[in-house]
Amino acid sequence: MEENWWCRVYANNLSERGITTPESAYQMTEVGILFYQILRLTASFRYALVGVEVDEFRTYSELLEDLPDLSIPGLVLAQNLTAEFETMPGFKQFNSTHIWRPYEGETYTPLKGSPDFKKQLDELLSLATI
């Protein structure tokens, strides 16, 4: 048994459905930065990732399996996880015990956030197949 533990942390009064407006992207980015500031003060975790729908991998073994090819912004890794790799391109020092791919913030995508835009695009794409 891998003894995997993970948690979901979210702030009150923020979207629980993802990035739906430019304002929610800004607010979630601000909360993301605050969370990374807290993480920087601790050494008692193997890996961490902040964002919306951050379920790229769910278990420690999945993380290790994908480790050489990971390029996820905001991913924080304990240095002992990466000891067998000569380099981890794109990763920088996070604190004395961890490295990370710097966080890039959250992004608002109008086609995902607006049902009207999505419908208009779907109509346009259906015309293109005629």
Side-chain angles (χ1 to χ4, degrees), residues 17-129:
R17 297 186 333 240
I19 307 296
T20 57
T21 65
E23 293 79 20
S24 66
Y26 180 88
Q27 290 172 335
M28 288 187 187
T29 297
E30 182 178 31
V31 170
I33 291 168
L34 292 170
F35 187 62
Y36 281 115
Q37 288 172 343
I38 293 166
L39 275 176
R40 185 169 258 158
L41 301 175
T42 185
S44 59
F45 64 95
R46 294 188 285 192
Y47 61 93
L49 185 59
V50 171
V52 177
E53 297 185 23
V54 292
D55 56 359
E56 186 76 22
F57 38 81
R58 292 185 179 260
T59 65
Y60 185 62
S61 61
E62 288 175 336
L63 170 71
L64 293 179
E65 184 178 300
D66 295 338
L67 196 57
D69 302 314
L70 289 176
S71 63
I72 303 168
L75 179 61
V76 182
L77 300 170
Q79 287 178 329
N80 64 339
L81 295 179
T82 63
E84 68 183 74
F85 301 101
E86 194 170 310
T87 61
M88 292 292 293
F91 282 80
K92 299 181 183 302
Q93 199 67 40
F94 181 72
N95 62 19
S96 63
T97 57
H98 292 78
I99 60 173
W100 77 327
R101 286 190 65 97
Y103 181 57
E104 295 177 358
E106 305 305 320
T107 305
Y108 171 65
T109 305
L111 289 173
K112 291 181 182 176
S114 168
D116 292 334
F117 286 155
K118 179 68 173 130
K119 182 180 174 188
Q120 290 172 7
L121 179 62
D122 289 344
E123 289 172 0
L124 180 63
L125 292 173
S126 70
L127 293 174
T129 59

